[in-house]
Amino acid sequence: MNGKSSYLIRSVRTPNQELVDVRITSGVISDIAPAQSLNPNESEIIEGAQLQLLPGLVDLHTHLREPGREDAETVRTGSAAAALGGFTAVHAMANTDPVADTAGVVEQVVRLGREAGYCDVFAVGAVTQGLNGSELAELGAMAHSMAQVRVFSDDGKCVSDSLVMRRALEYVKQFDGVIAQHAQDPRLTEMAQMNEGVISAKLGLAGWPAVAEEAIIARDVLLAEHVGARLHICHVSTAGSVEIIRRAKARGINVTAEVTPHHLLLTDELAETYDPIYKVNPPLRTAADVQALRVALADGTIDIVATDHAPHPREAKECEWSEAANGMLGLENALSVIQESMIESGLSNWSTISERMSYAPARIGRTNPSAGHGQEIKVGALANLILVDTKIRRKVREIKSVSKSGNNPYIERELPGQVMFTFLRGEMIVANGELVKAL
Amino acid sequence: MSEAKAPVLSRHLLSINDLSREQAILILDTADELSRVSDAPIKKLPTLRGRTVVNLFYEDSTRTRISFEAAAKRLSADVINFSAKGSSVSKGESLKDTALTLQSMGADAVILRHSASGAARRLAEWTEGSVINAGDGTHEHPTQALLDAFTIRKHLKASSENNAGLGLDLSGVKVAIVGDILHSRVARSNVLLLSLLGAKVTLVAPPTLLPVGVSDWPVDISYDFDSAIRNTDVVMMLRLQLERMKSAFFPSAREYSRLFGLDSERLAKGENSPLILHPGPINRGLEISSECADNVDSLILEQVKNGVSVRMAVLYLLLGGAD
């Protein structure tokens, strides 16, 4: 897949806000020099004067729905949406049908990603067979398969049994794997519909209390400490969870955590519309939680942004709130939401966002170094790069989407920024905001 | 009846929050005027002739359905009863498709009872007619609150010059709402409406049956029925669903009844001879003893009667003026 062309990106801003020229040759960053100092030679020129250069983004948490729910998304459409959103790698969650709990399924997902060719698709393996929460899936077989699975998760369901969680954490140490926990005490969230608080009381919707997330995280950081294993917490959504993770890290526990774009921008008040476009698990929380999550992402308590891109067909959302499916689209607007919530709020900068959306997720996922993800932008590195127009502001409604689904919670909003170019190992996947190879 | 040409309410009645204080009082006043129709030998007005009202009931609630049906018929509307059981709904038709179907049939108003909170709000987005929320999950039941307020006003605000309390609100009235607040749409609508009308509301319940977040409501909270009943003008008892016991909301029906049930002994502690309300159907011997249910201060059957008048008023004000 190495790009054969050569590109010269002129006068582009690096994450550290230096103005440079960058040349890509044969898939590799071949030259970086002060702005306007490199000669075009044979290279195709890209004027970068308005653009922000970032490393290709890596998503540790994506639902591509294939196999099983190809009416909602396929590996092909989902990975194309990822490329448009600036991702050069995504991790496909295991809750497909059949569940990705065997080497066969994870290999299929990875192969479909390669065939589509929009970005690298890594498979997340299920922790337990069929997400049943009681018997371990063949974690080793998935790790040693062509898919080289390193991230295991029952996402959508919590590994709630303490013993099973302990064993899983221990077992994956043999291949440097990580358990990504969907932290949700099942008994405390039976029938739960939205964040439990002032708004749920008013709306008469059954509450999903913050403690149901926090109690599991507290247990799991202690389990990870006890067995000396690596733990990752999916979609942290509450201020209390942030506090527990902060203390666990201070204690030296090997825990990492992610936050979704929607939990950094949207609040539970949106449920007052009873429009299930805002129904998601974990649910949207309060403004105080949003602020705590932003601060935690800025200071590194939360290590990464992960989209939890969760496509659903229209009928799954055009119904009563309690009947509707949980989940929101995330890939295409993720970087815009991060710009809005983290950059324009003054809390963070592009250098930190590069860490949170590229370097750190690649590290946590142990992506094979030969794929070149999450590497610093330097001469000799594989050219997984994106160029972002950070000055533009767009109505989300008017942005063309390539996802098969339309459950976009930002649809009524205006968001900043647009990914103009995406390079995967030097191959131009997105040019001027459009897929080079149309779906 | 004066000839109102334009409806003074907005298109739907989904929540008490849709109403201003003035609109709420207008509904109560209109209900009082219309109650005379129910007392007349021929119980019928021509106001809604040619209009189609659909009773769309996804939950069994014979009393609410009959009440709306009587209200619509006394205003000469055509009434279609659409019970979700045994219909296309049980074959998996979505609420949206049902809404579009009813609209194609020319329904001017849909009265919806549904087990999902917010169902009426969703329906209103998919249909051009008026939607009246006849109870949506554990959210609201606005016409129940209106009939409760109507009943309370009639008894506590009437005077020799104004024997129905016309034009008045409920300022100064003290109401205790007792029971499963957490799961009660009646309680939510009543808290909003009674506060809107100036009454002082106290919620009496075990902590497990109060919502987290109740602190934001304009109410006082009490876990002690004996002290709460002392100085209240109205006790509104809520129906208890026995299946709540299985989810550990309370230990046993006996214990619930002892602490939060209304019996004669407890009623006697009420220094203001409180009026007794209950939205029905009642569980005799559980949340209310037979002696209390049949007590002279019990307005339970009057509530049923007033329900028809209040629902006539709502239909009249929502549909009466538009062509």
Side-chain angles (χ1 to χ4, degrees), chain B residues 9-28:
Chain B
L9 305 187
S10 54
R11 189 148 60 96
H12 311 294
L13 180 59
L14 308 176
S15 159
I16 293 297
N17 280 326
D18 295 344
L19 301 175
S20 66
R21 179 180 166 280
E22 289 65 35
Q23 287 173 326
I25 290 174
L26 176 68
I27 293 172
L28 303 189

Side-chain angles (χ1 to χ4, degrees), chain A residues 229-257:
Chain A
R230 210 151 68 86
L231 168 70
H232 178 73
I233 307 296
C234 296
H235 41 52
V236 169
S237 72
T238 78
S241 298
V242 167
E243 272 318 300
I244 294 165
I245 292 163
R246 188 170 280 142
R247 284 198 234 167
K249 286 186 165 183
R251 246 168 98 147
I253 298 171
N254 199 350
V255 58
T256 56

Side-chain angles (χ1 to χ4, degrees), chain B residues 262-317:
Chain B
L262 184 66
D263 59 15
S264 303
E265 196 187 336
R266 189 163 271 149
L267 184 64
K269 294 180 182 165
E271 290 162 11
N272 311 345
S273 305
L275 303 173
I276 301 167
L277 271 68
H278 190 301
I282 61 179
N283 292 307
R284 285 176 188 263
L286 184 51
E287 73 264 1
I288 187 166
S289 71
S290 282
E291 292 74 31
C292 289
D294 305 332
N295 182 289
V296 286
D297 290 320
S298 165
L299 303 177
I300 298 172
L301 290 175
E302 190 185 324
Q303 285 174 279
V304 176
K305 181 181 170 208
N306 292 340
V308 178
S309 307
V310 162
R311 286 165 181 136
M312 284 172 79
V314 168
L315 285 166
Y316 174 82
L317 292 168

Side-chain angles (χ1 to χ4, degrees), chain A residues 16-208:
Chain A
N16 292 323
Q17 305 303 304
E18 293 158 25
L19 277 180
V20 296
D21 289 355
V22 175
R23 196 190 311 274
I24 300 171
T25 311
S26 302
V28 174
I29 299 172
S30 53
D31 216 342
I32 302 178
Q36 302 294 338
S37 67
L38 292 182
N39 288 323
N41 297 340
E42 305 288 293
S43 307
E44 184 181 333
I45 293 170
I46 297 170
E47 286 302 339
Q50 293 297 320
L51 302 178
Q52 172 68 53
L53 176 69
L54 294 174
L57 309 180
V58 177
D59 191 11
L60 205 61
H61 191 150
T62 312
H63 296 275
L64 296 180
R65 301 295 186 220
E66 192 175 5
R69 287 309 302 266
E70 292 82 356
D71 57 328
E73 197 81 283
T74 63
V75 172
R76 186 176 171 77
T77 58
S79 61
L84 271 185
F87 292 88
T88 51
V90 297
H91 289 70
M93 269 299 168
N95 62 340
T96 48
D97 182 14
V99 170
D101 58 359
T102 61
V105 179
V106 292
E107 287 187 346
Q108 180 196 2
V109 169
V110 168
R111 184 174 49 73
L112 288 166
R114 279 189 196 158
E115 284 168 11
Y118 290 110
C119 69
D120 285 348
V121 175
F122 297 97
V124 176
V127 178
T128 62
Q129 295 171 29
L131 312 177
N132 68 12
S134 53
E135 295 140 298
L136 289 184
E138 290 199 338
L139 307 176
M142 292 188 274
H144 300 302
S145 75
M146 173 275 274
Q148 299 178 35
V149 177
R150 292 294 177 272
V151 183
F152 298 89
S153 181
D154 276 1
D155 180 65
K157 289 187 175 173
C158 181
V159 182
S160 62
D161 185 303
S162 307
L163 182 70
V164 173
M165 186 62 184
R166 176 213 161 127
R167 297 278 190 254
L169 285 164
E170 281 179 299
Y171 192 82
V172 300
K173 284 164 69 178
Q174 62 182 302
F175 32 79
D176 198 19
V178 65
I179 304 296
Q181 174 71 295
H182 171 120
Q184 174 181 7
D185 184 306
R187 281 284 277 158
L188 283 174
T189 52
E190 278 173 14
M191 316 287 286
Q193 296 294 328
M194 67 170 296
N195 180 48
E196 183 166 47
V198 170
I199 308 292
S200 66
K202 174 176 167 189
L203 297 181
L205 288 170
W208 197 131

